[in-house]
Amino acid sequence: MTSQSQPPAASRAPAGAEEITLSVGPPAHGGHCVARPAQDPTGRVIFVRHALPGESVRARMTEKNAKIWRADAVEILQASPDRVASVWPQAGPGGVGGGELAHVALPAQRTWKRWVLADCLRRIGGPQVQEAVAALPEAAGSGSIGIEPMPSEADGTEPGRARRRAPGTATRTRVSLSVGPDGRAGMHVFRSGTVLPLETLPLAVPAIQEIGLLERSRWRKHYRPGARIEAIAPSAGEPLVLIDGRVLTSSARSTGRRRVEELVEAGGLGLGELHYSVHAEGFWQIHHQAPQVLVERVVRAALGAEPSPDPAAPASDLAQAASGRRVLELYSGSGLFTLPLAMLVGSSGMVLSQESSGRAVGDARRNLHGWSRAHLATGRVTARSVARAATAFEGGGPDVVVLDPPRQGAGREVCRALAALGPERIVLVACDPAALSRDLATLLDSGYRLAAMSALDMFPHTHHFETICVLERG
């Protein structure tokens, strides 16, 4: 029997809060585990954070209402072998959100996410979705889809100094902070308006860590209680810091620069290095390798080419597969996928993208300048806008649809409208397994079959991950 207390953040829980001993069961979507009172295995379900399946913990209640009970594990009575020293103690019980799996060994985090994905597909998607996934070659033997590490998190891939960091840390190129009443930078305590001053930023890339945002001496004159801080470390050029809309350099000097340059290696697609210009306040994937990995996976899937075992190797089959294709892209952002798709479909093909953010479409217009076969539309994605898009293509509707919706998913009506267009292939990128399960159920029910699925661990030390699904007309 082992017993260990959680980090000091536990003391920030409400004084006098009820405590209970729990037996911890499987993980649940959202970073919790399903637990029950140790003395009553059939008792009330309590969703507990900072625990691991199979553990026995002393937990402090944080929420209790007619619908749901929540708690934080504050002492580990029987530890899981997958428990490690947290890479971010301040994200522990009573601490900030955004690092809820920091106490879990990285391989076990991927097992956790695999369980959550399988549970959502079964419970929310239903039998049709579950059977479709189980029939995939990539699910052979287990009936579920594994969570793949990003290249930099695969064992032994990081050279030199990077290898000495805790696995899965130093990956984020965007960090958001708030200034507390004491003038120090921090993050909000989980489910709270309280700002907890931070001591470290372990998930941020070194370029952001080196700015010293947590050092009051350097930034004191710029920090005001309640201020919002955004730090951006682009792949080209020095980092920028935005404080309530004001743009500063990494040395805390004002600058008129409001755009950043992002470079994405697309050698595996035969395109070399792609150049993007993005507004400093615009959306961009936060994992430093996510743009490259997603472009490789999504563009290949959209154009019907098999994944290359070597991402740096040119794809001889891709130009032929892409030529003349008509592609509808929804929730297209700043054109991460639009640019390589437009480059590959050729003069006889066409890409039509739609995005609700006018700023993002403005970025995409810069990035797609000179590519006349790309047409960019601004507007919210709805069933009506999808139906209208079909009339914009020459020679019929789209051959392929690519969609990367926000966390709530595309929704039933949009998915039905997409299926009504009858594209040969639909590539769905999803950042939430519950929304993915609902959208998949609608598309399968509309006559499509699931041809492939993969999941990427783009957000280590959190419960989030990204899933890519390829559907083909049945």
Side-chain angles (χ1 to χ4, degrees), residues 30-274:
H32 301 76
C33 283
V34 177
R36 295 180 188 270
Q39 70 277 16
D40 186 5
T42 62
R44 174 73 184 248
V45 165
I46 300 172
F47 291 95
V48 62
R49 285 164 52 86
H50 313 297
L52 271 158
E55 290 188 331
S56 174
V57 303
R58 182 172 63 86
R60 187 168 293 155
M61 299 302 300
T62 58
E63 182 179 353
K64 201 172 183 181
N65 58 50
K67 291 185 177 180
I68 194 167
W69 289 10
R70 300 182 193 273
D72 280 357
V74 294
E75 183 180 359
I76 311 306
L77 304 176
Q78 181 68 52
S80 163
D82 293 321
R83 177 172 287 276
V84 296
S86 175
V87 301
W88 193 9
Q90 286 193 286
V96 300
E100 61 275 5
L101 300 188
H103 63 290
V104 184
L106 203 55
Q109 290 183 30
R110 298 186 191 114
T111 300
W112 177 304
K113 295 175 187 185
R114 180 177 191 153
W115 286 349
V116 169
L117 176 59
D119 178 63
C120 287
L121 292 170
R122 172 189 57 79
R123 184 171 45 83
I124 299 173
Q128 187 179 18
V129 170
Q130 184 181 19
E131 291 167 11
V133 173
L136 294 173
E138 48 267 47
S142 66
S144 62
I145 301 298
I147 309 296
E148 301 176 41
M150 298 295 280
S152 62
E153 276 86 63
D155 291 340
T157 60
E158 291 188 297
R161 189 177 72 176
R163 199 177 296 160
R164 295 196 295 271
R165 301 189 192 104
T169 61
T171 63
R172 296 193 176 193
T173 63
R174 268 76 176 161
V175 171
S176 298
L177 303 170
S178 295
V179 179
D182 60 356
R184 297 172 62 189
M187 293 175 63
H188 286 94
V189 172
F190 182 68
R191 291 180 177 267
S192 167
T194 302
V195 176
L196 176 66
L198 288 178
E199 299 166 3
T200 60
L201 294 171
L203 303 189
V205 293
I208 290 179
Q209 295 184 31
E210 291 162 6
I211 294 173
L213 292 171
L214 308 182
E215 300 172 14
R216 297 183 68 184
S217 58
R218 181 181 300 189
W219 296 91
R220 181 185 296 138
K221 68 177 182 180
H222 299 290
Y223 287 177
R224 298 289 181 273
R228 183 73 170 170
I229 306 166
E230 303 285 343
I232 303 112
S235 54
E238 71 166 322
L240 288 180
V241 178
L242 282 69
I243 304 179
D244 284 346
R246 293 181 297 122
V247 186
L248 306 171
T249 66
S250 56
S251 56
R253 295 190 177 124
S254 294
T255 177
R257 176 181 162 217
R258 301 194 72 88
R259 307 192 67 79
V260 295
E261 301 302 312
E262 297 286 357
L263 308 178
V264 177
E265 176 54 51
L269 302 178
L271 301 177
E273 191 173 64
L274 305 178

Side-chain angles (χ1 to χ4, degrees), residues 405-467:
R407 192 164 301 282
Q408 65 266 30
R412 182 179 302 170
E413 297 307 314
V414 167
C415 287
R416 284 178 174 170
L418 286 177
L421 298 182
E424 299 169 11
R425 178 168 290 206
I426 296 173
V427 181
L428 170 61
V429 185
C431 59
D432 182 272
L436 165 70
S437 301
R438 290 189 290 269
D439 288 347
L440 269 182
T442 302
L443 291 168
L444 293 179
D445 193 52
S446 301
Y448 279 79
R449 69 174 186 88
L450 185 61
M453 178 185 286
S454 60
L456 298 165
D457 192 16
M458 284 172 36
F459 309 94
H461 304 297
T462 80
H463 69 277
H464 300 290
F465 55 93
E466 202 88 357
T467 310

